[in-house]
Amino acid sequence: MSMRDFDFMLTPEQIDLRDAVSDFAQKEVKPVCREAEKDAIVPEKLVKMAYDMGLHLVTVPEEYGGLGLDCMTYAVIREELARGDSGFASRVFGFGFEPLKLAGTEEQKKWVADIMVQGGIMAFGLTESSGSDAGGMKTTARKVGDDYVINGGKIFITNGDCADVITIFAVTDKEKGTKGGITAFLLPKDTPGFTVGAHEDKMGIRCVHTNALFFDDVVLNKKYRLGEEGQGYKIAMQILDNSRPCTAASAIGVAQSALDEAIAYAKERVVFHKPLWKHEGIGFLLADMEMRTSAARQMVWAACKSADAGIINKKLITSAKCLAGDNAMYVAENAVQILGGNGYTREYPVEKLMRDAKIYQIFEGTNQIQRLILSGQLCR
């Protein structure tokens, strides 16, 4: 089964958009990125093609010049682009317009939308050395008149080297911590005192860069503050709630790609006088990979449908992110196993897919954190 087996759940418009993105992902993105990822190159020619399709504007409302797609449609096309290459999907979509939707002023929305319509992109700067403990951040923002002076740094920021605006978070009141002591800001890339470190040499999703950010007496006027002072931690958690379902859709794309490769190989490879898939040990494994991928997709779609109905259901969101991430790793690892020695070589794509899959158990809240959130929701 692929996503197309669920076309009865999609509108004609969603199917047309999905097919257009799928065609682009399979014919252009997949072959180019398979080579580009070896040297961690971001294929900017493909980025421009994706931008010409308007893919970077999926979350920007129509009134600001974007496509204004709902969460469900976004998940559908994100899965397809990630099926071509999940790192490239992260490069194109970035963190979208979500921070502005949640907490931006009208002036901020118009400013960022104009940047994105012209080909710009946003990044999300939350992570520091404290990792999943966002409340343990050390970056500070000291109020001086109508300005804030920011010092510190961030790590593992996706698109940190190419983002035009970065949503960052800093401590404005150490005593209050996550209960009113963290504030969010919109940081333009050319702000004095702001520098970007070299991109990380990552295991997977290598067609998008991940960087450290440094703030050395960065001065931001209060007009760049996102939301009210002290609301930063709440805003960050809301942004993650909104982003996780579509990030999970990328994990589904990785799983589906690995499953496709495993099926094709199992049909072609003949062992003991019959195709590999006819051996129960392999055939049943393919069946499990299919069932888990379809189930994870439906969980992601349920979280998206909930969001589109105006319901932020943390149980659905965390379940979808966790299930999709774990399944991506399960399917990719077993695709390598099915291909055996061939799967362990770069001649076949499944080793790359296994490397790509792992990040979906880590970023935007590790799957251990998702389980912590979910258990808290169940037992509160």
Side-chain angles (χ1 to χ4, degrees):
M1 245 184 278
S2 70
M3 188 196 295
R4 284 153 184 77
D5 293 290
F6 300 99
D7 278 1
F8 66 92
M9 299 179 69
L10 304 177
T11 66
E13 292 77 14
Q14 287 171 330
I15 291 172
D16 287 344
L17 187 54
R18 186 271 316 276
D19 289 348
V21 174
S22 179
D23 188 65
F24 170 60
Q26 295 304 307
K27 292 181 180 178
E28 304 287 348
V29 174
K30 186 174 182 177
V32 171
C33 287
R34 188 175 172 193
E35 292 301 313
E37 74 100 25
K38 294 175 183 177
D39 295 314
I41 295 171
V42 178
E44 292 300 333
K45 181 179 178 181
L46 287 184
V47 173
K48 185 179 185 305
M49 292 173 68
Y51 280 18
D52 288 343
M53 295 172 68
L55 296 184
H56 63 306
L57 299 176
V58 294
T59 61
V60 179
E62 289 184 277
E63 61 264 35
Y64 298 109
L67 299 183
L69 301 184
D70 59 21
C71 187
M72 177 67 180
T73 306
Y74 179 20
V76 167
I77 65 173
R78 180 147 184 163
E79 177 184 332
E80 285 301 319
L81 194 57
R83 195 162 68 91
D85 187 89
S86 59
F88 182 76
S90 290
R91 169 62 182 87
V92 169
F93 292 122
F95 244 82
F97 201 70
E98 295 304 324
L100 283 303
K101 287 182 182 178
L102 285 167
T105 64
E106 187 64 21
E107 181 182 10
Q108 289 171 340
K109 289 176 182 177
K110 289 179 179 177
W111 167 57
V112 174
D114 285 346
I115 291 173
M116 294 182 70
V117 167
Q118 294 173 38
I121 190 172
M122 286 194 72
F124 182 69
L126 177 65
T127 304
E128 296 187 13
S129 58
S130 54
S132 296
D133 178 16
M137 70 175 64
K138 303 298 183 184
T139 298
T140 61
R142 178 169 53 88
K143 187 78 178 293
V144 181
D146 287 338
D147 299 323
Y148 290 86
V149 181
I150 301 173
N151 283 282
K154 303 291 178 178
I155 58 173
F156 303 141
I157 306 305
T158 304
N159 288 315
D161 62 345
C162 64
D164 296 88
V165 181
I166 304 173
T167 304
I168 65 168
F169 301 84
V171 176
T172 45
D173 189 332
K174 185 177 180 180
E175 298 302 317
K176 292 182 179 178
T178 59
K179 307 296 185 181
I182 296 173
T183 301
F185 300 91
L186 298 170
L187 175 68
K189 67 177 181 180
D190 56 356
T191 304
F194 169 55
T195 55
V196 179
H199 70 81
E200 302 289 344
D201 189 10
K202 305 191 300 292
M203 178 172 74
I205 60 166
R206 290 169 61 82
C207 284
V208 63
H209 287 170
T210 303
N211 307 79
L213 312 179
F214 303 100
F215 317 119
D216 183 10
D217 284 339
V218 170
V219 178
L220 285 180
N221 186 268
K222 65 180 181 181
K223 71 178 182 180
Y224 292 110
R225 190 183 65 215
L226 185 65
E228 296 301 318
E229 188 170 302
Q231 290 185 342
Y233 185 79
K234 178 181 178 182
I235 291 170
M237 296 304 104
Q238 289 175 328
I239 291 171
L240 289 171
D241 281 342
N242 285 359
S243 71
R244 279 171 178 153
C246 290
T247 298
S250 275
I252 303 298
V254 174
Q256 187 64 58
S257 185
L259 179 56
D260 292 343
E261 295 290 343
I263 291 171
Y265 187 87
K267 290 167 67 176
E268 179 183 322
R269 173 79 161 156
V270 176
V271 179
F272 299 114
H273 310 295
K274 59 183 178 181
L276 193 58
W277 73 268
K278 289 192 175 181
H279 297 273
E280 281 188 0
I282 301 301
F284 286 9
L285 183 55
L286 288 171
D288 284 342
M289 292 158 70
E290 163 58 30
M291 287 187 287
R292 292 188 185 206
T293 300
S294 293
R297 179 182 291 115
Q298 291 304 304
M299 180 66 79
V300 170
W301 285 9
C304 291
K305 285 286 190 180
S306 175
D308 289 335
I311 303 168
I312 303 301
N313 187 322
K314 282 187 176 290
K315 286 186 288 187
L316 268 178
I317 291 167
T318 55
S319 296
K321 193 275 181 186
C322 195
L323 181 62
D326 284 350
N327 176 68
M329 196 61 199
Y330 171 84
V331 173
E333 182 181 7
N334 280 297
V336 171
Q337 189 70 24
I338 289 170
L339 270 68
N342 286 329
Y344 202 67
T345 71
R346 289 196 171 188
E347 182 181 352
Y348 291 81
V350 289
E351 64 84 25
K352 170 190 179 298
L353 292 167
M354 188 170 77
R355 289 187 285 107
D356 288 344
K358 185 59 188 175
I359 193 62
Y360 293 98
Q361 293 179 308
I362 299 173
F363 69 179
E364 293 194 29
T366 66
N367 281 8
Q368 286 75 24
I369 289 294
Q370 303 311 306
R371 288 176 167 86
L372 182 64
I373 295 170
L374 181 56
S375 62
Q377 290 291 308
L378 292 173
C379 300
R380 62 181 179 178

